[in-house]
Structure formats: C-alpha cells, structure tokens
Amino acid sequence: MSEATPRVAVVTGAARGIGAATAKRLAADGFAVAVLDLDEATTKDTVQEIEAAGGRALGVGADVSDAEQVQAAVDRIAAELGAPVVLVNNAGVTRDNMLFKMTEVDWDMVMNVHLRGSFLMTRACQKYMVDGKWGRVVNLSSVSALGNRGQANYATAKAGLQGFTKTLAIELGKFGVTANAIAPGFIQTEMTKATAERMGVPFEDFVKAAASQIPVARVGQPEDIAHLVSFFVSEGAGFVSGQVVYAAGGPRA
Ligand code: NAP
C-alpha cells in the first residue's frame, strides 16, 4: 500500500459512538474512510476530525437497510474515495421490550438494521474485495447475543451476525478476505445512555453499577472497540477469520 493510494474503509453508523471512534482510528491507521450514517449531515464532525488530523474522509448518508440507498452509497464511495475493501458493519439500533410487549415494528426494525443492513452492505462491498483479492469485514455483535432480558429482537440479530460472519469467512477466504465479529459488553455511548434513560436511572449511576460488575472495574469506551477493529483489519491479521471476540472487560458477559 503506497501513501498515495490508501486502502478504503467503510464504517457504518459512524456519526458517533463506536462507529465514530472506529472511523477515526482507521484513518489514523492510514485508511481513507467513508463515514456512513443515516443522515450525511451528522457525519460532519467525524469527517472534520479525521481531516484535521491529516486523514482522508468522505461523509455519506444512507439507510443500511435500504438496498437502493446502499448500492448508491457504495457506488459513490468507490467513485470518490476508491474501492471499498474494508467494511465495518457497525450501524445499530435498540428497540427493547419484554417479549409479550414487543411489537412487530420493533422486531422488524432491529432485524432490518443489523441483519439486512450488514447483508446489503457486505454484498455491495465484497465485489471490490474479491476483485482486489484482499478484504476485511468486521461485524458488530454484542454480549447480548448470549441472551438478554428485554432484548429478544436485539439478541437474535446479534447472534445472527455471528453466523453471518462465520459464513462470510468460509465463502470469501480464498479471495484473501477475512470476516470477524466483535461482541462488546457495556460501552459508554448514546446507545447505553438511551437504555439508562428508558430505565429511569441517571447515566452516571448506570455506568457505576455496570463497572462494579466488570472484572477490569470500568465500562468500555468506543476506543476500546476501535482498537480491536484496527487489529482485525490489519495486514497481519490475515490468518484470523470467522472469529467472535467478546470485548467486555472480563471473560463473561
Ligand atoms: P450509537 O451511539 O447509537 O450509534 C449508532 C449509529 O448508527 C448512530 O449514528 C445511528 O444513526 C446509526 N444508525 C442507526 N440506524 C442506521 C441505519 N439504518 N443506517 C445507517 N446508520 C444507522 O451506538 P453505539 O453504542 O456506538 O453502537 C455501535 C454498534 O455497536 C451497534 O451495532 C451496537 O448494537 C453495537 N454494540 C454497542 C454496545 C454498547 O454498549 N454501546 C454493546 C454491544 C454492541 P442515528 O443516530 O441517526 O439513528
């Protein structure tokens, strides 16, 4: 990889949280980064921070669950930044509720963003990886994949992403493409803030209570996950594929 032609990475849901930290980390690692989120305007801060640090970034608006928008976004990334050969499927939503109160709309929404979204984005980008005989896919799963009260939809989607990851590893391996999943525990972002609000607990107390249950005695930060993404997409990680790493500050969720 020469400095003049950096490899291109796409990070979905990169306006904030884990996605924003990952986009910034991959830019610092030398990738040109497509900062993709629902609304292009919300990607501005991440793009500006990358550019201010001397990196290259492109803000792209798209709903990952919409096939046409995904194709248009990937076409634009390929035209304006270059062939997308690293994909981080990070965009996510929660619509928590106990099973007996869960609506079909909330079930479908969570499936669509996590599963359909990762499928559509990966299908659109894999062509560039296969053509170039090199690629990296990282999918954001969760400790919730092991089961979590009030998250039948989210747990199902996050477990599904693990099967998706392993299948990508099998299908795409011979083209120099690896696929891995990261299953974070509690990470301090807007997503966990929204959970605290829904439960009526001040976020600070929620974070303290979570940290008290975690062996490393703190909650995770977006940069903790970005660091692991950085490893998975690195040149040297080419023999690591189809794996799920639980990044939760300890051995158990
Ligand atoms: P976050 O702060 O809520 O950020 C998620 C981003 O995804 C938001 O910018 C959101 O945009 C975007 N997004 C949502 N739906 C989208 C769609 N259809 N198309 C494109 N972008 C979309 O979440 P986070 O905490 O950083 O989580 C990132 C990923 O890690 C998610 O997959 C999440 O499930 C997973 N994860 C998080 C934790 C945690 O503790 N935080 C733990 C385990 C796994 P809008 O703001 O416009 O909706």
Side-chain angles (χ1 to χ4, degrees):
M1 178 166 54
S2 77
E3 269 191 32
T5 55
R7 281 177 170 146
V8 175
V10 185
V11 184
T12 70
R16 64 174 198 229
I18 294 169
T22 299
K24 287 183 252 178
R25 175 60 188 264
L26 296 189
D29 288 350
F31 293 93
V33 182
V35 178
L36 188 149
D37 212 291
L38 266 178
D39 176 4
E40 184 175 333
T42 64
T43 66
K44 208 177 79 209
D45 289 353
T46 311
V47 168
Q48 278 177 354
E49 280 183 60
I50 289 173
E51 288 174 346
R56 178 132 191 254
L58 174 72
V60 180
D63 177 348
V64 295
S65 66
D66 182 301
E68 274 181 28
Q69 290 187 36
V70 164
Q71 196 55 57
V74 171
D75 288 348
R76 184 178 160 213
I77 292 162
E80 294 186 31
L81 268 192
V85 292
V86 170
L87 171 63
V88 184
N89 284 309
N90 167 82
V93 292
T94 51
R95 292 291 183 275
D96 298 352
N97 224 329
M98 295 299 284
L99 179 65
F100 75 101
K101 286 197 261 179
M102 189 171 284
T103 65
E104 289 162 46
V105 169
D106 285 350
W107 175 270
D108 290 344
M109 168 64 120
V110 170
M111 295 305 146
N112 282 341
V113 176
H114 296 274
L115 290 178
R116 189 178 158 82
S118 298
F119 156 63
L120 292 173
M121 285 298 305
T122 309
R123 192 180 62 176
C125 291
Q126 58 81 32
K127 169 185 178 294
Y128 297 96
M129 303 184 195
V130 169
D131 285 354
K133 298 260 182 301
W134 192 92
R136 301 278 188 263
V137 180
V138 180
N139 296 318
L140 266 292
S141 179
S142 167
V143 293
S144 295
L146 301 170
N148 198 25
R149 192 178 173 81
Q151 289 197 313
N153 49 4
Y154 186 79
T156 302
K158 292 307 199 186
L161 278 173
Q162 297 191 8
F164 181 61
T165 302
K166 290 169 193 286
T167 303
L168 293 177
I170 291 167
E171 289 190 13
L172 299 175
K174 68 178 173 194
F175 302 108
V177 178
T178 67
N180 291 284
I182 299 171
F186 189 117
I187 310 297
Q188 196 166 346
T189 68
E190 290 300 317
M191 186 177 272
T192 38
K193 202 171 176 187
T195 305
E197 270 166 25
R198 211 166 31 247
M199 292 169 75
V201 183
F203 192 43
E204 217 173 285
D205 297 348
F206 195 59
V207 165
K208 264 193 204 147
S212 74
Q213 302 300 311
I214 297 173
V216 300
R218 68 169 177 90
V219 299
Q221 297 300 323
E223 292 73 19
D224 290 313
I225 303 307
H227 192 71
L228 198 45
V229 176
S230 173
F231 165 73
F232 277 135
V233 308
S234 66
E235 192 64 45
F239 202 58
V240 182
S241 196
Q243 301 304 303
V244 180
V245 172
Y246 284 81
R252 277 183 288 275

